[in-house]
Amino acid sequence: LFYAYLATLVWLPLPLASRPYWAVAFFNMLVAAMSLAALAGIWKTGHVLPPAFRVARWPIALWVVYCLWLVVQNIEGFSINTFRSYQQILLTLSYLQLFLLTLFLVDSRERLKILFYTLVVSGVFQAVYGGLMTLSGVEKVWWIEKAQHRGLATGTFLNRNQLANYLVMCLSAGCGLLVAVQKNDRINTWRQLLRRFVEWLLSGSGWLRLLMAVIVTGIVLTHSRM
């Protein structure tokens, strides 16, 4: 279930940022299936909810109140587009479920590290794809010709600012990983400095810095001022 959750996070930006109706419907069904699987697992194994649920009780409560307010607006006829309103209600509920799944599944330091690495890899793909489409002059998002932001990186998003914000989020995850693996030992000799440099080249943090450099390049290619 945890790896299905990670795959969902990678999938979300791919079909035009999950904005088409079919992508929204698929996301709703996917998250609902994962939530039902999590509930079935809790019922079968008697799994205790992680402490993160107790810490996040107020954000969860506010989110539930917001969902109820959306429902009330539709029932009372406040909405001028009922179909879109119902779609937004389902989408909001799906994001709430995704948030709860994060609290439930990312329950250890190791899983948090895997989650962050997943975001970094996803950001690298978006940066490379957006850069190649722009520098090659293809100017397409998958098979769709770009109607705007031509000459700028958009990745699998339709808007350059959306890609830039996504890459900044992935870059922030990478910064968190760098802080987590950083060594604070003092360096007193040139031999220690050389050894530290070799360790940096061969360690995961060295590759992580290179991946973050790719993401930064992708952010620059968006020319976003956000």
Side-chain angles (χ1 to χ4, degrees):
L1 188 59
F2 174 66
Y3 290 104
Y5 159 80
L6 295 178
T8 301
L9 293 182
V10 175
W11 162 261
L12 273 175
L14 296 181
L16 306 180
S18 292
R19 294 183 65 180
Y21 289 148
W22 69 266
V24 174
F26 180 74
F27 170 59
N28 291 337
M29 292 187 294
L30 190 62
V31 174
M34 287 193 296
S35 299
L36 289 174
L39 290 173
I42 293 173
W43 176 76
K44 186 176 181 179
T45 63
H47 185 85
V48 179
L49 292 178
F53 276 84
R54 184 174 65 255
V55 176
R57 61 185 181 277
W58 289 114
I60 294 173
L62 290 173
W63 211 330
V64 171
V65 169
Y66 175 66
C67 291
L68 292 174
W69 172 239
L70 291 177
V71 173
V72 169
Q73 287 186 45
N74 248 22
I75 294 176
E76 295 298 325
F78 298 155
S79 174
I80 61 175
N81 189 331
T82 307
F83 172 75
R84 289 289 293 173
S85 295
Y86 275 120
Q87 188 186 48
Q88 289 303 310
I89 291 171
L90 291 175
L91 190 59
T92 304
L93 287 173
S94 294
Y95 280 125
L96 174 58
Q97 292 175 78
L98 192 63
F99 176 64
L100 296 176
L101 284 169
T102 303
L103 297 178
F104 178 66
L105 295 173
V106 189
D107 57 353
S108 66
R109 182 183 179 88
E110 188 61 30
R111 284 193 169 186
L112 184 62
K113 185 184 293 186
I114 295 174
L115 169 60
F116 277 18
Y117 271 115
T118 301
L119 290 176
V120 170
V121 171
S122 177
V124 168
F125 169 78
Q126 291 290 338
V128 171
Y129 180 82
L132 288 177
M133 290 297 101
T134 300
L135 298 176
S136 65
V138 175
E139 298 293 358
K140 285 186 178 181
V141 181
W142 297 128
W143 62 91
I144 301 174
E145 196 77 25
K146 288 167 64 172
Q148 57 180 351
H149 303 300
R150 299 181 69 87
L152 303 170
T154 59
T156 60
F157 297 83
L158 293 175
N159 188 293
R160 60 172 181 166
N161 296 316
Q162 294 172 354
L163 173 63
N165 280 304
Y166 183 77
L167 293 181
V168 167
M169 181 183 69
C170 297
L171 190 66
S172 301
C175 290
L177 287 170
L178 283 179
V179 171
V181 301
Q182 186 177 11
K183 292 183 178 179
N184 294 318
D185 302 337
R186 289 190 62 182
I187 299 175
N188 298 317
T189 65
W190 283 102
R191 181 177 296 179
Q192 291 178 348
L193 178 62
L194 182 60
R195 183 183 299 140
R196 179 67 59 81
F197 179 70
V198 173
E199 288 177 353
W200 177 82
L201 289 177
L202 299 177
S203 68
S205 62
W207 287 105
L208 180 59
R209 285 181 171 87
L210 293 176
L211 295 179
M212 291 173 63
V214 174
I215 295 177
V216 170
T217 304
I219 295 174
V220 173
L221 290 174
T222 64
H223 289 207
S224 174
R225 291 174 292 179
M226 295 182 68

